[in-house]
Amino acid sequence: MSEMTRYPISQEDLDMVKTVTTLREVIQQIPDGATVMIGGFGGSGAPIELIHALIDHGAKHLTVVNNNAGNGHVGLAALIEQGQVDKLICSFPRSADPSVFVTAYKANKIALEIVPQGTLAERIRAGGAGIPAFYTPTAFGTAVAEGKPIEVFEGRSYIRELWLKADYALIKGDLSDTHGNMTYRMAARNFNPIMATAAKVTIAQVSRVVQAGAIDPEHVVTPGIFINHLVEITHPAQEEELNRAEAVYP
Amino acid sequence: MIDISEIKLSNAQIAWRAAQDIQDGAYVNLGIGFPEMVASYQPEGKEVIFHTENGVLGFGPAPAVGEEDWDLINAGKKAITSKPGTSFFHHADSFAMVRGGHLDVAILGAYQIAQNGDLANWSTGKGGIPAVGGAMDLVQSARRVAVVTDHITKKGEPKLVESCTMPLTGVGCVTRIYSSLAVIDVEGGHFVLREKIAALSIDDLQALTGAELLTTKGVDALICPEALG
């Protein structure tokens, strides 16, 4: 891991002021107009504290890559509600309460690029692996394929899709050691490991930072080479729980 | 117009019928909503391994209310559980399972199915906000692509048609349709009727279908548990 900054927050000494300050420190490098990948599938794996810090920071004209378009008035939905997102690249802009995105979309305040979910994942993977384009059968013959080159392999038609890269990735993990070697929690893994590879700068929030050696190398999911900054958030918010409590951010 | 409201199968009966065809040990992806019901009717003694595209294979049933862990959800964003044999993986691996042809069966809903197997199920094309999710990936790459659906729309229009008028999800991809009136295969650019409910004649079923039904393979009775009706 290169140039990693760790912002230590001990479990005994977790006070909100310090947390917000350290989050600000790392998030304030994100400029207006940046492309930002945000991990998560719905609320599972969504880095809520990092997104809320981005709202506090106020960077505008962002292009955001996420599977969805937010739910309720927290997390990604809140970022859109604050008018910070010019364009969203996603597969499924529906949720239990998509009203923030729907309102912005119908008012032409946000552009939408719909990408089939597997193509979205593979474009991100390709971006992280330095592969500019690939062929897929997904969406052949549909509106999504319009204008894309087609090639036949072994008698079957495939469309060409391009890599997807970002300036920043905001991701959520479970444990990380001091080298940024990370694990995830169950289905909260989803887009987080591939987004970590596809951004120039990856900022990860994790529930606990442990010493090198505390995670069995066999169990590391994201090696630390992909992580630039770690923020320890010992009790991360769950979007689903915030929405059930009808929370609104800010 | 024939009134089918009293004789058509319930969604539970359609889901039950679709479940009977899933072979032991199959890897199966169920679409959000109605197709998820198929999981409830697995025949005793068969083990089916369910895949959800957000990165879980071999998951268990929904937890009790209050026991949810919101890090463990399915593609419909509903809480699920893990069990012995469950695995977790990231999204690129999840769709490698899909597009690599490793899934045995995908079961989805439909707006329209054409006789050549074209499927429209993601957008009515009437404005609104498009949302495709993983459907376009699943229909092109699962070994078998089955549809569970009402045979006609709420307005009485056929959902099985000569060619789709709504935006396509995939071309030539559907292999079998479990409708509220019949089981129909897609073979060689035609609908091949395999089973139908006894209360409807073949002529009546044809009148409710927007393309020719071939009966060359023989037509069996479509019988489902009445308790699910």
Side-chain angles (χ1 to χ4, degrees):
Chain A
M1 181 177 55
S2 57
E3 298 174 43
M4 186 187 84
T5 319
R6 186 193 163 197
Y7 301 89
I9 304 167
S10 77
Q11 243 164 323
E12 300 79 43
D13 190 25
L14 182 77
D15 71 78
M16 284 308 292
V17 176
K18 192 173 179 187
T19 309
V20 173
T21 305
T22 54
L23 279 169
R24 271 193 193 138
E25 212 176 318
V26 69
I27 289 291
Q28 69 186 8
Q29 63 182 300
I30 299 179
D32 287 359
T35 295
V36 184
M37 290 181 178
I38 300 179
F41 180 89
S44 172
I48 295 294
E49 284 77 7
L50 293 180
I51 301 169
H52 288 176
L54 183 55
I55 291 172
D56 296 346
H57 166 49
K60 293 196 186 326
H61 305 301
L62 302 173
T63 294
V64 168
V65 182
N66 182 267
N67 186 62
N68 302 98
N71 187 13
H73 299 271
V74 295
L76 176 56
L79 187 68
I80 294 168
E81 194 160 31
Q82 293 302 309
Q84 293 173 252
V85 183
D86 282 2
K87 182 180 179 184
L88 183 66
I89 300 173
C90 81
S91 86
F92 200 75
R94 290 185 194 150
S95 64
D97 175 12
S99 58
V100 166
F101 174 76
V102 170
T103 302
Y105 182 77
K106 289 191 170 163
N108 287 322
K109 287 182 176 163
I110 189 165
L112 174 65
E113 179 181 343
I114 283 285
V115 182
Q117 200 174 125
T119 298
L120 182 63
E122 190 64 12
R123 287 180 65 192
I124 296 166
R125 196 197 73 80
I131 295 169
F134 59 93
Y135 286 87
T136 177
T138 299
F140 172 73
T142 77
V144 171
E146 276 169 22
K148 292 173 183 166
I150 292 167
E151 197 159 333
V152 176
F153 299 93
E154 298 181 7
R156 191 173 180 199
S157 297
Y158 295 78
I159 64 171
R160 194 181 80 189
E161 293 280 1
L162 302 180
W163 59 5
L164 197 52
K165 297 182 286 184
D167 300 308
Y168 293 87
L170 307 183
I171 70 162
K172 181 182 185 181
D174 185 24
L175 302 182
S176 173
D177 71 15
T178 49
H179 290 255
N181 296 310
M182 283 176 53
T183 68
Y184 300 86
R185 244 193 115 242
M186 304 191 287
R189 185 180 304 193
N190 57 64
F191 282 93
N192 285 298
I194 54 174
M195 286 181 171
T197 70
K200 289 176 197 151
V201 177
T202 294
I203 301 168
Q205 67 169 76
V206 295
S207 300
R208 198 150 63 93
V209 178
V210 296
Q211 291 309 305
I215 300 172
D216 185 334
E218 294 282 9
H219 296 166
V220 170
V221 179
T222 293
I225 191 171
F226 297 120
I227 306 297
N228 300 97
H229 303 281
L230 278 177
V231 182
E232 190 177 57
I233 305 288
T234 42
H235 298 288
Q238 276 285 4
E239 184 184 275
E240 181 71 25
E241 285 165 9
L242 294 175
N243 280 327
R244 284 171 182 238
E246 298 181 8
V248 174
Y249 196 86
Chain B
M1 176 65 64
I2 306 145
D3 181 10
I4 58 164
S5 58
E6 296 296 314
I7 56 172
K8 70 172 188 169
L9 301 179
S10 68
N11 281 357
Q13 286 173 315
I14 299 169
W16 177 89
R17 178 62 192 84
Q20 305 315 302
D21 286 347
I22 301 173
Q23 69 273 35
D24 189 29
Y27 290 92
V28 179
N29 184 291
L30 302 176
I32 296 170
F34 174 20
E36 288 179 75
M37 291 177 75
V38 174
S40 305
Y41 301 110
Q42 289 313 301
E44 296 258 339
K46 278 192 198 172
E47 188 187 12
V48 172
I49 299 126
F50 290 106
H51 168 266
T52 182
E53 49 267 45
N54 56 311
V56 191
L57 200 56
F59 57 88
V65 173
E67 300 289 308
E68 299 96 343
D69 183 327
W70 295 108
D71 281 345
L72 186 50
I73 61 174
N74 65 13
K77 318 288 193 308
K78 296 194 188 90
I80 53 174
T81 50
S82 61
K83 63 181 187 182
T86 296
S87 57
F88 301 125
F89 35 88
H90 63 61
H91 247 86
D93 278 353
S94 184
F95 279 90
M97 294 173 194
V98 175
R99 85 173 78 215
H102 304 282
L103 282 185
D104 294 296
V105 190
I107 302 181
L108 301 94
Y111 294 143
Q112 289 180 323
I113 312 107
Q115 59 186 351
N116 68 345
D118 287 359
L119 173 68
N121 84 343
W122 73 288
S123 164
T124 57
K126 294 174 187 163
I129 297 171
V132 65
M136 286 189 181
D137 303 274
L138 286 160
V139 300
Q140 283 303 339
S141 298
R143 289 184 189 140
R144 216 157 69 69
V145 176
V147 162
V148 288
T149 181
D150 268 320
H151 199 85
I152 56 175
T153 68
K154 288 194 176 101
K155 289 182 180 170
E157 293 157 350
K159 295 183 92 167
L160 282 67
V161 295
E162 285 186 351
S163 62
C164 295
T165 55
M166 291 179 182
L168 294 184
T169 307
V171 295
C173 54
V174 175
T175 56
R176 175 165 269 203
I177 303 155
Y178 301 94
S179 86
S180 50
L181 304 176
V183 176
I184 293 163
D185 285 338
V186 177
E187 289 178 12
H190 296 283
F191 290 132
V192 179
L193 179 62
R194 305 306 299 260
E195 298 176 17
K196 68 165 188 63
I197 60 169
L200 209 56
S201 71
I202 289 176
D203 287 346
D204 286 345
L205 185 65
Q206 180 64 71
L208 295 165
T209 307
E212 186 184 7
L213 289 172
L214 301 185
T215 56
T216 46
K217 294 275 175 83
V219 181
D220 292 328
L222 172 52
I223 298 167
C224 298
E226 286 188 19
L228 301 175

